[in-house]
Amino acid sequence: MIVVVAPPLNQQRADGARHTLVNIAHYRLMVLMLLFAAGVAAILVRLMLLGVMAEPRSAIAAESALVPLRGDLVDRNGAPLARTIDAWSIAVRPDKVIGDKRQLAEQLAALMPDHDAGYYYAQLNLDRSFVYLRRRALPELVQQVNALGEPGIALGREPERLYPQSAMAAHALGYLDMDGRGVRGMEKFLDARLVDPAERGRPVALSLDTRVQAALESELANAMAVFQARGAGGIVLDSDTGEVIAMTSLPTFNPNHVTANTGQMNTVTQGVYELGSAFKPLTMAAALDDGVVPSLSKRYDATQPLAVGGFRIRDDHAQKRWMNIPEILVHSSNIGTARIADEMGQARMEKLFRSLHFDAAPDLEVEKSRPIWPHYWGRTTTMTTAYGHGIAVTPLHLASAYAALVNGGIWRPATLMKLKPGQAPAGRRVFSEATSAKMRALLRLIVTDGTGRKAEAPGFRVGGKTGTAETVGAGGGYSKKVNVSTFAAVFPMDRPRYVVIAMLDSPKGTKETFGFTSAAWTAAPVVSRVISRTGPLLGVIPDANADIDVTGLRGLLWRAPGDAKKLANVE
């Protein structure tokens, strides 16, 4: 017998409901998968459209996000001078401070001792929502401040301008204000270029050479300390292009930490001085070009002081005889130079100085001052300006003038921008080539046989001229004890390429200089050391066998017993 057992009715119903739920679940999963696929497809289509239809400037915008907010400044060899970094900042929100403000102020003073607790307590009580306590903070300091656990202290990352060479070339570089805008130096001049999104990714090369800059700053700072000078300035200029290879003004400042009391005047471009006998070669060159001096052997009366309208022109080391052109320069005769200027006359002397731009601010991209031009050009002014008194210019004016004096006679504006080969400005002729050649020999003679002996750098064929000018005293008139000592040099004289100016403001004599403060004792040795250190860096190899021929000029010199020793004391 067969027995058939049928499932209960409730079980049949449960199995049917289970199948229905499974079907619904499969349906929902399919719908979800279709929606997900549609979403992915939509994203892919959108990305394709963006790739095809995006404008070119979107790529530039993407690239801009990866470059600094301000372009770098580098020297002519690519060494960094200024760059933008991602730095830490420490600030406080006074209204958010919950701890004891006096205790917090003491803790901050202990961590940041550049201010006392009173200063920080005042900052914590300012009626402001946000106050900076330190910009460009080191990570170690940020970590210590954060460990104080005060919610009112805000730590952030922000772009900061860093000058990795510290105070080097500070006056040339300048610095930024708190809003990141250039306010001095090349930072100001190049401000628009350095923040241009299309340009800021490429560093700007300046004409400076950090190696030469370091040597110039070091030697000037040492001389300033030794002679207890009030200030100092120096420049190394390429006489063929006008590029400033180095420029120093002392005292200087650190652009990483500029304060309201920071001394910022650029001695080289803003300081105007009577630069004394360094003007004499310029006067001689103009006289040769104008035919006032037809021959270097022409003699001028220097037997006694020259009286002009109640004023007497004297020589520091009087020869008391008639002297020719080489002798006037070698012995730095004011009397002989004044007589030549008198023959030149006012119009031609003014023309000389205007052609050298001594009547306008120097040609450079940074801060500068106008010279002090004579208000009245009488006979006395005409004669005294010939040897650097009665007219005040900047050391940069003198450097550009000496470049024209030796480079074949072409005056060119100075620049702090690196120039490409062949990019030097054409310039303007101010001296003839023949006169320039004669002046090169005369400048070399001054160093080998005259007042510039201490500027000699063996093998580098240095030429140049001393300049010592008395400063104007507090009550007017010239001080007999305080002067500005300058030496203007060029090297190598057989192929002039670099002008070097060293100036000391108000130096004091030492035992080693026998109390003398003239340029022969103070500024000339600085030039010698700078050239010896930087010549090889600039591609000038010392050569004892290469020199300019001064034999003919030396034959025009009359020697008195003891002249070589006495000349060291002449300005």
Side-chain angles (χ1 to χ4, degrees):
M1 182 174 72
I2 298 174
V3 178
V4 178
V5 180
L9 182 60
N10 289 340
Q11 182 177 349
Q12 292 179 357
R13 290 178 179 175
D15 289 342
R18 188 180 301 111
H19 284 296
T20 301
L21 290 175
V22 170
N23 289 335
I24 292 174
H26 279 289
Y27 174 77
R28 289 177 177 175
L29 182 60
M30 290 292 294
V31 171
L32 182 61
M33 291 177 63
L34 288 174
L35 290 175
F36 180 77
V40 171
I43 292 173
L44 292 175
V45 170
R46 179 59 177 168
L47 290 175
M48 291 175 61
L49 290 175
L50 289 175
V52 173
M53 302 178 63
E55 297 182 6
R57 63 171 173 260
S58 64
I60 297 176
E63 182 182 352
S64 297
L66 302 176
V67 299
L69 294 177
R70 189 177 184 88
D72 290 352
L73 293 176
V74 298
D75 84 338
R76 62 186 307 105
N77 301 311
L81 295 172
R83 59 180 26 172
T84 298
I85 62 172
D86 191 20
W88 283 99
S89 65
I90 301 174
V92 64
R93 295 185 176 89
D95 57 337
K96 302 294 184 181
V97 175
I98 61 175
D100 186 320
K101 291 187 176 181
R102 288 197 178 278
Q103 181 181 0
L104 179 59
E106 292 176 358
Q107 292 172 324
L108 292 173
L111 295 175
M112 297 180 285
D114 45 338
H115 295 292
D116 59 18
Y119 169 84
Y120 291 110
Y121 183 72
Q123 301 302 303
L124 294 173
N125 286 281
L126 289 176
D127 187 18
R128 297 181 189 174
S129 60
F130 189 88
V131 179
Y132 277 111
L133 298 180
R134 173 70 66 86
R135 311 288 289 272
R136 199 182 292 113
L138 294 175
E140 295 82 359
L141 176 61
V142 172
Q143 185 176 12
Q144 292 171 335
V145 172
N146 186 50
L148 297 178
E150 171 55 57
I153 292 179
L155 307 175
R157 302 297 295 269
E158 59 183 24
E160 287 286 348
R161 198 63 164 171
L162 174 68
Y163 300 90
Q165 309 296 340
S166 188
M168 180 186 291
H171 289 88
L173 297 176
Y175 57 89
L176 310 183
D177 63 14
M178 296 299 290
D179 295 321
R181 294 187 296 262
V183 292
R184 288 188 71 86
M186 294 303 284
E187 290 278 31
K188 180 179 180 180
F189 177 76
L190 294 168
D191 194 56
R193 158 69 175 80
L194 293 173
V195 298
D196 184 349
E199 298 286 343
R200 69 186 189 221
R202 295 185 297 107
V204 177
L206 302 185
S207 61
L208 299 174
D209 186 320
T210 55
R211 304 167 303 171
V212 180
Q213 182 74 32
L216 180 63
E217 290 191 8
S218 147
E219 295 298 343
L220 274 174
N222 180 65
M224 183 175 167
V226 168
F227 296 111
Q228 301 178 54
R230 182 166 57 190
I235 186 170
V236 178
L237 184 75
D238 188 320
S239 63
D240 287 343
T241 65
E243 291 172 285
V244 175
I245 307 301
M247 181 173 69
T248 299
S249 176
L250 300 175
T252 187
F253 63 95
N254 187 342
N256 290 305
H257 304 288
V258 177
T259 66
N261 298 324
T262 298
Q264 298 169 7
M265 190 191 85
N266 188 342
T267 299
V268 178
T269 63
Q270 293 179 288
V272 291
Y273 307 90
E274 294 185 359
L275 295 176
S277 295
F279 271 43
K280 290 174 182 173
L282 305 176
T283 301
M284 294 300 179
L288 288 168
D289 265 350
D290 289 338
V292 172
V293 174
S295 168
L296 295 179
S297 61
K298 182 178 178 179
R299 296 182 179 276
Y300 292 84
D301 183 4
T303 56
Q304 58 187 352
L306 180 59
V308 186
F311 180 74
R312 296 174 71 84
I313 297 175
R314 305 174 183 274
D315 284 343
D316 290 335
H317 179 53
Q319 297 295 294
K320 299 181 180 180
R321 59 184 176 83
W322 289 67
M323 291 191 290
N324 58 35
I325 301 305
E327 290 174 327
I328 289 173
L329 289 176
V330 164
H331 294 282
S332 197
S333 172
N334 296 335
I335 299 171
T337 307
R339 288 193 181 279
I340 293 173
D342 197 27
E343 289 188 24
M344 290 272 290
Q346 172 189 342
R348 283 188 285 201
M349 288 300 294
E350 279 198 63
K351 178 184 175 183
L352 165 65
F353 294 138
R354 291 187 190 279
S355 70
L356 296 171
H357 292 229
F358 285 4
D359 60 339
D363 291 82
L364 202 66
E365 296 88 351
V366 297
E367 294 73 28
K368 50 209 170 190
S369 297
R370 291 183 63 86
I372 299 177
W373 187 258
H375 295 294
Y376 172 70
W377 279 84
R379 186 184 177 203
T380 302
T381 301
T382 299
M383 297 169 80
T384 59
T385 55
Y387 56 86
H389 284 74
I391 182 172
V393 300
T394 69
L396 178 57
H397 280 104
L398 188 66
S400 295
Y402 266 68
L405 192 65
V406 301
N407 70 6
I410 305 299
W411 182 92
R412 292 184 177 88
T415 181
L416 276 163
M417 297 294 294
K418 181 182 179 181
L419 301 178
K420 297 179 181 178
Q423 195 180 12
R428 183 168 49 81
R429 180 166 295 283
V430 292
F431 302 117
S432 68
E433 289 189 19
T435 293
S436 181
K438 291 176 182 177
M439 295 311 303
R440 290 196 288 268
L442 286 167
L443 290 172
R444 179 64 177 143
L445 186 70
I446 293 170
V447 172
T448 59
D449 294 64
T451 60
R453 292 171 183 268
K454 293 185 182 298
E456 178 70 305
F460 290 102
R461 298 89 76 193
V462 180
K465 182 70 184 77
T466 51
T468 306
E470 298 169 347
T471 61
V472 177
Y478 290 97
S479 170
K480 296 294 183 181
K481 297 181 179 180
V482 184
N483 59 43
V484 173
S485 301
T486 306
F487 195 90
V490 183
F491 80 101
M493 291 311 300
D494 53 320
R495 173 58 182 91
R497 183 62 191 274
Y498 298 103
V499 176
V500 181
I501 305 288
M503 186 205 73
L504 292 170
D505 184 1
S506 309
K508 296 179 181 178
T510 66
K511 180 180 178 180
E512 288 71 21
T513 67
F514 306 99
F516 291 109
T517 60
S518 61
W521 286 98
T522 58
V526 174
V527 167
S528 173
R529 292 191 292 269
V530 169
I531 292 176
S532 295
R533 290 179 61 178
T534 63
L537 300 176
L538 295 169
V540 181
I541 306 303
D543 187 344
N545 299 316
D547 208 339
I548 191 170
D549 186 9
V550 296
T551 305
L553 294 178
R554 190 172 283 138
L556 294 174
L557 300 179
W558 179 81
R559 299 286 188 182
D563 261 358
K565 182 177 181 180
K566 293 176 182 177
L567 279 173
N569 300 335
V570 183
E571 62 75 33

